[in-house]
Amino acid sequence: MKVIKASSRTTKVAPEAWFTGTVLQDEVVTGSPPSRLRALSVSFTPGARTAWHTHPVGQTLYVLYGTGRVQMEGGRPIVLNPGDTVLIPPDVKHWHGAAPDRLFIHLAISEVTDDGAGTNWLEKVTDAEYGVPAVDPA
Ligand code: MN
């Protein structure tokens, strides 16, 4: 086994091409083969969000802190709170991010494909799309 010290890894600013607003990423695990596990802690400042995207093997989000949003294409934005788990199926177009006025931190957990692909990035979430009032999950 191996312990990776928190102090050995620096926080990264998420790429502007794929995110709106300030988003910070802390690596949790990048599995070594045969593991295909990837996990990141992602911190979204108020109003910050991912672009629209899909995951070839799906994704699990686990909310650690704050108030967030997730939206699948064709649905309403949904409110997320600490302790919530979101299961995103393979190849479903979606975005996730903070509420307009709250910090939001989630774990993003996924497996990559055999050739290492994990996310297909699409267009940014517009202010009009982001501004649709969010609803509580059913
Ligand atoms: Mn995602």
Side-chain angles (χ1 to χ4, degrees), residues 56-73:
V57 195
Q59 181 181 51
T60 300
L61 304 177
Y62 178 74
V63 180
L64 297 174
Y65 186 86
T67 308
R69 301 282 187 267
V70 64
Q71 183 181 9
M72 311 295 161
E73 187 177 43

Side-chain angles (χ1 to χ4, degrees), residues 24-80:
L24 302 172
Q25 296 175 321
D26 288 291
E27 182 182 341
V28 174
V29 62
T30 300
S32 298
S35 171
R36 301 191 297 178
L37 179 65
R38 302 286 183 272
L40 293 170
S41 176
V42 188
S43 301
F44 299 83
T45 55
R49 65 266 189 183
T50 68
W52 288 99
H53 61 282
T54 63
H55 303 285
V57 195
Q59 181 181 51
T60 300
L61 304 177
Y62 178 74
V63 180
L64 297 174
Y65 186 86
T67 308
R69 301 282 187 267
V70 64
Q71 183 181 9
M72 311 295 161
E73 187 177 43
R76 294 281 298 270
I78 291 170
V79 176
L80 295 177

